[in-house]
Amino acid sequence: MLRCLYSSQMSCFLSPGSRSDALQHGTSGTLPHFLQEPDDAYIVKSNPIKLKCRARPALQIFFKCNGEWVHQSQHQSQEHTDEGTGLKIREVMINVSRQQVEDFHGPEDYWCLCVAWSHLGTSKSRKATVRIAYLRKNFEQDPQGREVPIKGMIVLHCRPPEGVPVAEVEWLKNEEPMGSDGNIDTRADHNLIIQEARLSDSGNYTCLASNIVAKRRSLTATVVIFVNGGWSLWTDWSACNVPCGRGVQKRSRTCTNPAPLNGGTFCEGMSVQKSTCNALCPVDGGWAEWTEWTVCSGECERQRSRECTAPEPKRGGRLCDGAALGTDNCTGGLCTHNLLHDAKPQGLEGSSDVALYSGLAAGVVTVVVLIVAVTLYRRNQSEYGVDVIDSSALTGGFQSFSFKTARQGNPLLISSSLQPDLTVSRTYTSPICFQDSMDKELISQEPSLFDPLPDLKVKVHSSFMVSLGVSERGAEYHAQKAHPQTFPRGLAPDYSGVRVEGTLRGRREKNLLAPHAPSTPSRPPLRTAGVLGHAGGRLVVPNTGVSLLVPHGGIAEDTTWEMYMVINQEDSKESQEVLLSPEVTYGPPGLDLSCPVAMTIAHCAEVATDNWNIRLKRQTQDNKWEEVMSVEEESTSCYCLLEAQCCHLLLESPGRYALVGEPLSQEAVKRLRLAVFGSADNTNPLGYSLRVYCVDNTPYAFQEVASVERVRGGRLLEEPKTLLFRGNSFSLQLSIQDIPQFLWSIKPFTTCQEFSFSQVWASNQRPLQCAFSLERYSPASSQLSCKISVRQVKGQEQILQVYTSVVESEKEVVPFFTQSNCTTTSLTGSRAFKIPLSIRQRICATFDTANAKGKDWQLLAQKLHIDRNLCYFARQESPSAVILSLWEAQHQDTGDLDSLASALEEIGKVHSSTHSTSSRTTTLATTGTTTRTTATLGRSTEELDTEFT
């Protein structure tokens, strides 16, 4: 019965040839065995898939899909004989299109199987499902960025989008595939787990899902591994800052164990600790009591002794003065021992007395004659209005002189508080212009003040001074050491009462020691003011090296302040320390700003070596000075950036500020500016006056010199030079040399002049001046050539070369210095800043927030070489904005954005290789800012701001 049904079914499908084949092989046939069954398949887009079946032995193979036979015309068949067994192998293939799958609506997926026939029966293959492949676009859960402390656990969750087949997940870090290791696990339900975070784990993480259709990327998650700062160990306590008595010692620590990184918190607490100390003072030796007298000896003498033990000298104290052994005649002079040996002839003793009295009489006569001679000489020289106390000046060379009080009736009384100006001087406050407020020279609108120096350099041959005997290099120097209390470490006395010590100048009595400009009670202050608003601005006191920068946004919107800046021109009240800068006040009081202002002040200290302890001080309401900070210490109340010639301050409170210095050794150095001016003597048609000025090397200190010389009609005869004046207690000496002896003469006692150490060291921004009065022998002598030596004893020397025409008609009228826009005192808005506002805002937005690339404000400060006292910036609302304000103050004179552009470009290069797509967008913005910033050279900020906006 079953054989009949099977035979009839085969007859429906088999052709006559197939039947004959079946009969032919019927004796040895078997059921079909599938060598290849159809596999599950996915239709990608609109591409059809192929299903294959292969069976042995097989007379016929047909596909059946979803319970229905596939038509024979849709089959592609191949047949061949197995050479080993002789059995026939048949292979059949069909195509399934996307349309067929989409049109099927059944309870299960679209399926197909193969049915193979042999003469013994049929065999069926496995079902193969056919599905349409796809992958959704949106992730069910994107990983989220986070900030993790070092050694913390990182867990990033990712649920890929729905898809057929199910998507596989792969993690990328900075666009590089990640693998699993002992610390990183990427197999836990598509999540990324890092057991212990390391600094190298900072980066941009992306979840990548993919199947045969497409790949999908999740949003990038930025992971920042931050390090909180930790204090290092304290250093050892420093030595006590005073050699004797009560002082201060300090120790420090740094926030480097570890250093804060990637936005980690700064260390809490202070980096410097101070403690009082008591340095043991030297103990001078003292004599103990005398011992008892010894027994009278055979020489009629007795002895006693004492020891230097009450107390003993300690720690460098002085030894006892006097003799440790005392002797005495124990018989009251009546001792007759060896009387015959000691006796002398009476006549010989009498002759010795005569010779003694004769010598004394001759000495008295000689002294009387000298006194009379000196009195007559001084009476003949009284027209010079000065009494010479040291006659050694007649022999030439550097000698120190003292001036007595002027004679009764002289209206120009000499005050002991005056500076040693031995020429007529007056007070002038007219400003002058400097091309560079920090280190350029001055310019006058009158052509006679700064005529150009000649290009011709003349060799001036030495000539001997007939009356003074000065050699080619000048006279022999004689050092007068200052009082030892002037040094070191703040032990300098108040110089307001120092007796004036100078050298004699050959001027007539009516012009001698006229009151010097700094000695006037007070002078009108240098002042500038401006109305500033939300856009900020800059105040400048022209030609003084003093300016004030108010950042954009520092003043609230719809609010304006009339701000001012004043330089105090009164004598400084700070006598225990050296005033290194002008005293500058900014206001008004009660000024309310949201960020600090940047003040720039020029100073005259040589800061290349660590020989100064420089402090910023502020005047209180009761006119006392309080210390704000030391420039070497860290502070959160203000910031101080000390450069070679100026200091940039970030301040939050209005008031009067000044830089003062305490020398730590005798190697401390002040910079002095030396200048020589010349003009004809109005009282003598053949006379000519050379005036040499020594001032602190700040633009402000040089202003008064220019004001005085402008009125006098003086001309700058040599480019001003800088002299490094050491704090070694030695004086400053000036001499004029190589004057043509047959053409010019100089008044007596003016060839060599001197300023004491205290006058130079405590000049407090006030100029010192001396003069050399010359006279021509003939009106035909129109050229003057000589040189002036300015030298500190045991210190540096500078030579001022003079070569000029003394005839008015031969003077050049072209100014030696040129300057434009020197009267600008205030700038508001974008004109006051080098960085356009749009670029400034973009930089702040980029660096104020820490990110995985490390581009936070600390890196910006490091690249701009502002890498100390970072705790001050950390407390600011926008650290990057304050850093840029400090950069603006540093580069206000150069007008050059190269350093900022280079810093931004360097930051971009360092991180360009590790940025993700999103981070590349930020980098392009930053690099674009860098490129545009570089292109800003020579263009106005208005144009740049318009372009970038």
Side-chain angles (χ1 to χ4, degrees):
M1 188 70 171
L2 292 174
R3 183 183 295 264
C4 179
L5 291 175
Y6 171 71
S7 299
S8 63
Q9 188 177 18
M10 285 187 60
S11 64
C12 296
F13 291 99
L14 298 178
S15 61
S18 299
R19 294 192 188 97
S20 63
D21 292 339
L23 294 174
Q24 180 180 357
H25 298 285
T27 57
S28 60
T30 61
L31 288 175
H33 172 68
F34 284 96
L35 302 178
Q36 179 180 356
E37 295 182 280
D39 296 324
D40 296 337
Y42 297 94
I43 295 178
V44 179
K45 297 182 180 179
S46 297
N47 300 321
I49 55 98
K50 298 181 182 296
L51 298 179
K52 292 182 181 180
C53 280
R54 190 170 61 196
R56 181 188 62 188
L59 300 177
Q60 192 60 273
I61 301 177
F62 284 96
F63 272 93
K64 190 176 185 179
C65 295
N66 301 319
E68 296 181 0
W69 296 101
V70 179
H71 195 272
Q72 185 177 0
S73 62
Q74 298 179 6
H75 290 72
Q76 300 176 17
S77 301
Q78 292 181 356
E79 185 181 50
H80 63 276
T81 303
D82 189 347
E83 296 179 356
T85 61
L87 300 177
K88 287 191 175 183
I89 299 175
R90 182 172 292 274
E91 181 177 332
V92 178
M93 180 176 62
I94 64 171
N95 292 331
V96 179
S97 66
R98 182 186 184 96
Q99 189 64 40
Q100 290 176 279
V101 177
E102 289 179 346
D103 291 344
F104 173 71
H105 302 284
E108 55 184 353
D109 293 330
Y110 190 97
W111 60 269
C112 293
L113 58 79
C114 295
V115 180
W117 280 268
S118 71
H119 67 285
L120 294 181
T122 63
S123 297
K124 294 182 179 180
S125 70
R126 63 178 293 274
K127 284 184 178 182
T129 59
V130 179
R131 304 174 67 183
I132 298 176
Y134 67 93
L135 184 63
R136 305 290 184 193
K137 291 185 177 181
N138 297 326
F139 278 72
E140 295 184 5
Q141 182 178 2
D142 287 297
Q144 302 295 320
R146 60 190 59 208
E147 296 180 357
V148 181
I150 192 168
K151 296 185 179 181
M153 178 180 285
I154 304 174
V155 179
L156 299 179
H157 299 280
C158 176
R159 293 177 59 188
E162 178 186 354
V164 174
V166 176
E168 296 180 353
V169 172
E170 180 183 14
W171 283 93
L172 303 179
K173 175 188 176 184
N174 298 329
E175 303 303 315
E176 296 293 333
M178 295 182 61
S180 298
D181 57 22
N183 190 44
I184 301 177
D185 184 7
T186 59
R187 298 168 297 178
D189 194 21
H190 306 314
N191 297 329
L192 173 64
I193 300 176
I194 300 177
Q195 299 293 338
E196 188 173 304
R198 300 157 296 189
L199 285 177
S200 59
D201 293 327
S202 295
N204 296 317
Y205 290 84
T206 306
C207 183
L208 181 65
S210 62
N211 62 9
I212 60 176
V213 179
K215 293 183 178 181
R216 302 285 187 246
R217 295 172 58 95
S218 69
L219 297 178
T220 298
T222 299
V223 175
V224 177
I225 308 301
F226 63 87
V227 179
N228 294 325
W231 288 114
S232 66
L233 296 177
W234 287 103
T235 62
D236 294 334
W237 286 102
S238 65
C240 202
N241 66 336
V242 295
C244 172
R246 185 180 179 87
V248 176
Q249 60 181 170
K250 62 183 179 180
R251 63 176 182 173
S252 61
R253 58 180 179 176
T254 57
C255 190
T256 57
N257 187 30
L261 187 64
N262 295 336
T265 59
F266 276 81
C267 304
E268 296 183 359
M270 298 304 295
S271 62
V272 177
Q273 274 188 351
K274 293 184 178 180
S275 175
T276 58
C277 56
N278 289 293
L280 297 177
C281 299
V283 177
D284 296 335
W287 289 115
E289 295 293 333
W290 287 100
T291 61
E292 297 293 334
W293 287 105
T294 62
V295 179
C296 190
S297 66
E299 287 79 13
C300 302
E301 287 184 348
R302 59 178 179 175
Q303 296 181 346
R304 64 176 179 176
S305 62
R306 57 180 178 176
E307 295 181 351
C308 189
T309 57
E312 293 183 359
K314 297 179 181 178
R315 295 181 290 276
R318 293 195 303 268
L319 297 175
C320 300
D321 295 330
L325 183 64
T327 60
D328 185 33
N329 191 302
C330 54
T331 63
L334 299 179
C335 183
T336 59
H337 174 74
N338 204 13
L339 182 60
L340 296 176
H341 177 76
D342 293 339
K344 295 182 180 180
Q346 184 69 26
L348 181 61
E349 182 178 354
S351 62
S352 299
D353 293 340
V354 172
L356 174 62
Y357 293 135
S358 299
L360 290 176
V364 171
V365 172
T366 303
V367 171
V368 171
V369 172
L370 287 176
I371 293 175
V372 172
V374 171
T375 303
L376 293 176
Y377 177 79
R378 286 168 55 183
R379 183 170 301 172
N380 292 334
Q381 298 295 330
S382 61
E383 60 175 344
Y384 297 111
V386 65
D387 293 330
V388 181
I389 293 182
D390 193 345
S391 62
S392 61
L394 298 175
T395 61
F398 283 109
Q399 300 292 340
S400 298
F401 293 90
S402 300
F403 295 99
K404 293 182 179 180
T405 305
R407 293 184 177 87
Q408 190 70 23
N410 187 351
L412 301 177
L413 297 179
I414 301 175
S415 172
S416 62
S417 62
L418 294 179
Q419 299 291 340
D421 179 10
L422 300 185
T423 63
V424 176
S425 60
R426 308 184 185 94
T427 302
Y428 299 92
T429 58
S430 175
I432 58 174
C433 301
F434 291 87
Q435 184 174 358
D436 188 335
S437 62
M438 297 309 303
D439 56 6
K440 299 300 181 183
E441 307 302 337
L442 53 106
I443 176 178
S444 169
Q445 297 178 355
E446 288 119 6
S448 62
L449 178 56
F450 298 109
D451 291 341
L453 300 178
D455 295 331
L456 179 61
K457 298 298 181 181
V458 179
K459 173 63 177 178
V460 181
H461 295 283
S462 174
S463 62
F464 69 96
M465 302 302 170
V466 178
S467 61
L468 299 179
V470 180
S471 65
E472 181 177 357
R473 291 296 299 166
E476 179 183 358
Y477 293 147
H478 172 71
Q480 180 179 2
K481 192 170 184 180
H483 194 280
Q485 287 188 347
T486 60
F487 229 88
R489 296 191 60 83
L491 299 179
D494 187 354
Y495 295 122
S496 61
V498 173
R499 179 172 58 90
V500 176
E501 294 181 359
T503 55
L504 184 61
R505 322 276 170 100
R507 301 190 59 86
R508 300 187 179 273
E509 185 173 3
K510 63 179 181 180
N511 292 331
L512 180 66
L513 280 179
H516 191 263
S519 65
T520 55
S522 63
R523 295 177 294 170
L526 294 175
R527 178 187 177 95
T528 184
V531 178
L532 304 182
H534 183 70
R538 189 190 302 270
L539 297 180
V540 179
V541 182
N543 315 317
T544 62
V546 177
S547 64
L548 184 73
L549 179 74
V550 180
H552 177 276
I555 301 176
E557 295 186 10
D558 301 328
T559 302
T560 59
W561 285 90
E562 182 178 3
M563 299 186 62
Y564 61 83
M565 191 164 50
V566 180
I567 298 180
N568 177 41
Q569 293 189 277
E570 299 176 356
D571 289 338
S572 173
K573 303 303 187 297
E574 281 291 313
S575 60
Q576 296 301 316
E577 293 171 310
V578 180
L579 184 64
L580 299 177
S581 74
E583 298 174 6
V584 182
T585 304
Y586 86 92
L591 180 66
D592 184 17
L593 300 178
S594 61
C595 58
V597 299
M599 178 186 290
T600 299
I601 306 178
H603 66 81
C604 61
E606 185 69 17
V607 296
T609 57
D610 298 330
N611 295 315
W612 285 100
N613 181 13
I614 300 178
R615 300 184 180 92
L616 175 66
K617 289 200 171 185
R618 183 174 184 268
Q619 193 175 37
T620 59
Q621 294 182 353
D622 55 357
N623 293 330
K624 294 183 179 179
W625 289 89
E626 63 179 3
E627 180 176 341
V628 179
M629 69 173 295
S630 173
V631 297
E632 298 298 330
E633 298 178 356
E634 295 185 358
S635 172
T636 57
S637 61
C638 65
Y639 189 92
C640 182
L641 179 60
L642 187 65
E643 294 184 336
Q645 296 188 354
C646 65
C647 184
H648 307 287
L649 306 171
L650 294 177
L651 304 173
E652 301 178 7
S653 302
R656 177 178 293 183
Y657 295 88
L659 288 176
V660 297
E662 178 186 6
L664 301 179
S665 70
Q666 294 192 3
E667 299 302 320
V669 172
K670 271 181 57 174
R671 296 190 314 273
L672 301 180
R673 180 172 293 186
L674 311 176
V676 55
F677 291 82
S679 64
D681 190 344
N682 296 329
T683 62
N684 184 0
L686 298 180
Y688 195 80
S689 176
L690 296 178
R691 293 175 296 277
V692 181
Y693 292 89
C694 304
V695 299
D696 291 347
N697 189 20
T698 62
Y700 159 73
F702 205 59
Q703 282 229 45
E704 184 179 350
V705 175
S707 301
V708 172
E709 287 299 325
R710 180 182 296 111
V711 176
R712 287 181 175 177
R715 296 171 56 235
L716 184 66
L717 303 182
E718 166 71 311
E719 182 178 355
K721 295 185 178 181
T722 300
L723 182 137
L724 302 181
F725 189 81
R726 296 173 55 194
N728 57 8
S729 303
F730 289 99
S731 59
L732 186 68
Q733 301 171 341
L734 302 90
S735 66
I736 186 168
Q737 305 169 11
D738 295 344
I739 302 175
Q741 58 178 339
F742 300 110
L743 301 177
W744 291 84
S745 66
I746 185 170
K747 291 187 178 181
F749 312 123
T750 63
T751 305
C752 310
Q753 305 182 32
E754 181 176 15
F755 295 122
S756 68
F757 170 79
S758 59
Q759 293 164 346
V760 181
W761 194 249
S763 59
N764 291 342
Q765 307 286 305
R766 301 292 184 256
L768 303 176
Q769 171 194 346
C770 72
F772 300 98
S773 297
L774 307 175
E775 185 175 351
R776 293 176 287 170
Y777 289 119
S778 170
S781 302
S782 62
Q783 301 293 326
L784 172 62
S785 61
C786 63
K787 59 184 178 181
I788 298 174
S789 169
V790 182
R791 173 184 179 271
Q792 184 187 16
V793 178
K794 296 187 179 181
Q796 191 181 36
E797 179 184 18
Q798 286 287 7
I799 299 296
L800 299 175
Q801 184 70 56
V802 176
Y803 182 76
T804 184
S805 171
V806 298
V807 181
E808 292 293 333
S809 60
E810 297 183 13
K811 294 182 179 179
E812 298 286 346
V813 295
V814 181
F816 180 75
F817 299 98
T818 58
Q819 173 70 20
S820 60
N821 299 328
C822 64
T823 59
T824 301
T825 59
S826 64
L827 294 172
T828 59
S830 60
R831 296 181 303 158
F833 304 99
K834 306 299 180 184
I835 307 175
L837 178 60
S838 57
I839 298 180
R840 179 186 178 93
Q841 293 174 339
R842 188 175 303 174
I843 294 174
C844 294
T846 303
F847 291 100
D848 274 345
T849 303
N851 52 63
K853 301 180 291 299
K855 285 187 181 179
D856 56 11
W857 61 267
Q858 299 178 50
L859 180 59
L860 176 64
Q862 177 186 356
K863 297 301 180 183
L864 295 180
H865 308 291
I866 305 172
D867 51 2
R868 58 175 300 273
N869 199 10
L870 296 183
C871 57
Y872 177 80
F873 300 104
R875 58 181 290 270
Q876 303 297 328
E877 180 178 354
S878 175
S880 300
V882 180
I883 292 173
L884 293 180
S885 297
L886 187 59
W887 184 92
E888 288 268 9
Q890 281 185 277
H891 299 82
Q892 59 181 310
D893 297 319
T894 61
D896 189 358
L897 294 175
D898 277 353
S899 62
L900 180 60
S902 299
L904 295 176
E905 186 176 3
E906 183 178 353
I907 295 174
K909 287 181 179 180
V910 170
H911 300 278
S912 60
S913 61
T914 59
H915 292 174
S916 63
T917 302
S918 61
S919 63
R920 279 200 302 269
T921 304
T922 305
T923 303
L924 290 174
T926 305
T927 307
T929 303
T930 302
T931 304
R932 296 176 182 179
T933 305
T934 307
T936 57
L937 302 179
R939 304 171 61 189
S940 67
T941 55
E942 291 84 351
E943 296 175 354
L944 292 169
D945 207 28
T946 302
E947 174 186 346
F948 283 96
T949 302

